[in-house]
Amino acid sequence: MSRTRFCVPPALVALVPLVLAACTTGKTAFYHQEEFSDTSAFSRSFPGSEKAVCEAARRALLGQGYVISKSTDNTMDGNKSFQPASDKHMEIAFHVVCASNGNGKSATMFVSATQDGYGIKKSNSSASLGVSVLGSVSMPFAASDDSMVRVSSETIRSADFYDRFFGAAERYLLVDVDDDSGSQKKPDSK
């Protein structure tokens, strides 16, 4: 029986571990998560002008204790701080853009919220005091400075979170939508 020998070039053998290592490094390319297929979690259409829709969003944020840092007729930014523990700080920041749907009767509200986490960073510093009259005498002084540094930042992707926000905005929109006769729609009294 004859045997056939198969030779693999040494360069190819050396490449195999490199290729396997590259596949298992664990680095995630986050842009692969962006499918751009479903935007319903981040947007909702409402009856009314873009100005009225953005005003409803502003009132929904103010009603929940958010501080509005920037506001125009069709954009706004707001944030709210939380302190879940004495050494932790969290902040949720909203960015809202309202765009007309082109029919003059409705507008779409686009919302993105981020959650930033902060932690205490301790940094020790020391200084020396030299007295030249006595010679080379140094006395160390130690100090500790605590500062809050951002340790995490993430766009909130929860559809339920945005549904609650859009529901609150819709309640405020019902108060402010005017029809052509000049009357206002009021929410039902409870």
Side-chain angles (χ1 to χ4, degrees), residues 16-89:
V16 171
L18 293 174
V19 170
L20 291 175
C23 291
T24 60
T25 58
K27 290 187 178 182
T28 304
F30 288 101
Y31 61 86
H32 289 297
Q33 296 176 8
E34 297 300 322
E35 296 177 8
F36 294 101
S37 60
D38 182 21
T39 61
S40 62
F42 299 100
S43 65
R44 185 81 45 94
S45 288
F46 293 96
S49 68
E50 62 186 55
K51 183 177 179 178
V53 168
C54 258
E55 176 61 18
R58 186 179 76 85
R59 290 179 183 204
L61 290 175
L62 288 171
Q64 292 299 311
Y66 283 81
V67 176
I68 305 301
S69 57
K70 174 187 155 193
S71 181
T72 66
D73 284 349
N74 62 349
T75 63
M76 119 186 32
D77 293 330
N79 60 353
K80 184 176 180 179
S81 297
F82 304 88
Q83 189 165 359
S86 62
D87 60 343
K88 293 188 184 342
H89 174 82

Side-chain angles (χ1 to χ4, degrees), residues 21-183:
C23 291
T24 60
T25 58
K27 290 187 178 182
T28 304
F30 288 101
Y31 61 86
H32 289 297
Q33 296 176 8
E34 297 300 322
E35 296 177 8
F36 294 101
S37 60
D38 182 21
T39 61
S40 62
F42 299 100
S43 65
R44 185 81 45 94
S45 288
F46 293 96
S49 68
E50 62 186 55
K51 183 177 179 178
V53 168
C54 258
E55 176 61 18
R58 186 179 76 85
R59 290 179 183 204
L61 290 175
L62 288 171
Q64 292 299 311
Y66 283 81
V67 176
I68 305 301
S69 57
K70 174 187 155 193
S71 181
T72 66
D73 284 349
N74 62 349
T75 63
M76 119 186 32
D77 293 330
N79 60 353
K80 184 176 180 179
S81 297
F82 304 88
Q83 189 165 359
S86 62
D87 60 343
K88 293 188 184 342
H89 174 82
M90 301 297 288
E91 186 172 287
I92 295 178
F94 268 84
H95 180 69
V96 179
V97 176
C98 303
S100 173
N101 289 338
N103 58 13
K105 296 180 181 180
S106 66
T108 300
M109 183 188 306
F110 297 93
V111 180
S112 179
T114 57
Q115 177 176 288
D116 295 334
Y118 296 86
I120 292 180
K121 179 182 177 187
K122 296 183 180 286
S123 59
N124 293 326
S125 58
S126 61
S128 296
L129 175 66
V131 182
S132 62
V133 175
L134 299 174
S136 178
V137 176
S138 295
M139 298 175 58
F141 294 97
S144 176
D145 293 328
D146 294 344
S147 59
M148 294 296 276
V149 294
R150 184 166 52 188
V151 294
S152 66
S153 183
E154 182 177 4
T155 298
I156 298 172
R157 295 172 121 6
S158 167
D160 185 52
F161 174 82
Y162 291 104
D163 282 343
R164 292 192 311 267
F165 170 74
F166 289 132
E170 186 173 31
R171 287 189 295 275
Y172 284 105
L173 185 64
L174 292 175
V175 174
D176 296 326
V177 173
D178 289 339
D179 62 8
D180 292 335
S181 65
S183 63

